[in-house]
Amino acid sequence: MGFWGYLLLGRGGDRALAECPVLAASREHLIPAGTFAGGWQLWRHPGPPEPAGVDALVRALADETGAPALAAYVMESDCAVVGGAHPGGASWSACLGRTPLARYMADTELGLDELFPTPEAAAADCAAWAAEAGHAADAAELAGVLAADPDPLVENLFHELLARLGMVEPLAGR
C-alpha cells in the first residue's frame, strides 16, 4: 500500500512552516520532508488535507506567508491532485498521474478533463507560480512532467515537478 496524504511546500522565513497559524489543526501530523534555498520547506502529512481541500489550504498558506504555496494530495502513491497559489488569491490546480487518477474517478460522473486543465494549460500556471517564487521554469518541461504516468511512485513525479519549478535538483536518470 502506498502513501495517502499530502505534501506541502511553502516559504517559512525564519520559522518552521508548521508553526503557521493556518496549519494549527494539522500541526501534530506534519513531518518535515526537506528544506531548500530561499527558506522553502517541504512537509508531509499522512491522511487527507483540511476539510476545505488542497486549494483552500494553499491559498490560506500563501496569504499568511506572503509567498507562493504548493500542495499535492497523494492517493496511494498512484496519483496526486496538485494545487498552487500566489499571495492574494490567484490559485490553480493540476494532477500528476492522469491515467491512474482517471481510474480513481471512474465511479464518479465527472471526467478528468472536466476537473483539471490539460498538461499544457497546467504547465503555464506552474510556470507563473515558479516566476512568482523567483525561479524560471520551462513550460514544455513542466507539461512533460504533468503528462507523465508515475513510474513507480507519484512522489517521484512530484519531486520532478519541484525540480522543473527550480526548487530542487532532478532525480538521477530523469
Side-chain angles (χ1 to χ4, degrees):
M1 182 174 193
F3 175 69
W4 280 87
Y6 64 94
L7 304 168
L8 181 63
L9 178 75
R11 187 180 286 159
D14 58 356
R15 67 178 173 178
L17 197 62
E19 295 303 317
C20 291
V22 72
L23 299 174
S26 58
R27 184 170 295 133
E28 66 187 51
H29 301 290
L30 287 166
I31 302 162
T35 56
F36 313 110
W40 292 96
Q41 302 170 26
L42 180 64
W43 292 78
R44 187 178 177 106
H45 183 285
E50 308 302 321
V54 167
D55 288 337
L57 176 65
V58 294
R59 278 194 310 270
L61 187 61
D63 287 344
E64 186 172 317
T65 62
L70 182 72
Y73 178 51
V74 177
M75 293 167 260
E76 202 169 345
S77 294
D78 290 336
C79 54
V81 173
V82 178
H86 305 279
S91 64
W92 52 271
S93 64
C95 64
L96 291 171
R98 292 179 77 82
T99 302
L101 185 55
R103 285 194 300 267
Y104 278 94
M105 295 177 58
D107 293 339
T108 72
E109 301 207 7
L110 297 171
L112 189 66
D113 294 332
E114 295 174 66
L115 295 176
F116 298 103
T118 64
E120 295 76 19
D125 292 330
C126 289
W129 186 95
E132 180 79 17
H135 300 278
D138 182 280
E141 290 178 359
L142 289 164
V145 173
L146 293 164
D149 282 328
D151 183 26
L153 305 173
V154 78
E155 290 94 320
N156 294 345
L157 275 180
F158 183 71
H159 183 96
E160 192 62 26
L161 180 66
L162 293 180
R164 299 297 173 207
L165 292 170
M167 295 294 175
V168 300
E169 292 297 316
L171 293 174
R174 288 239 178 201

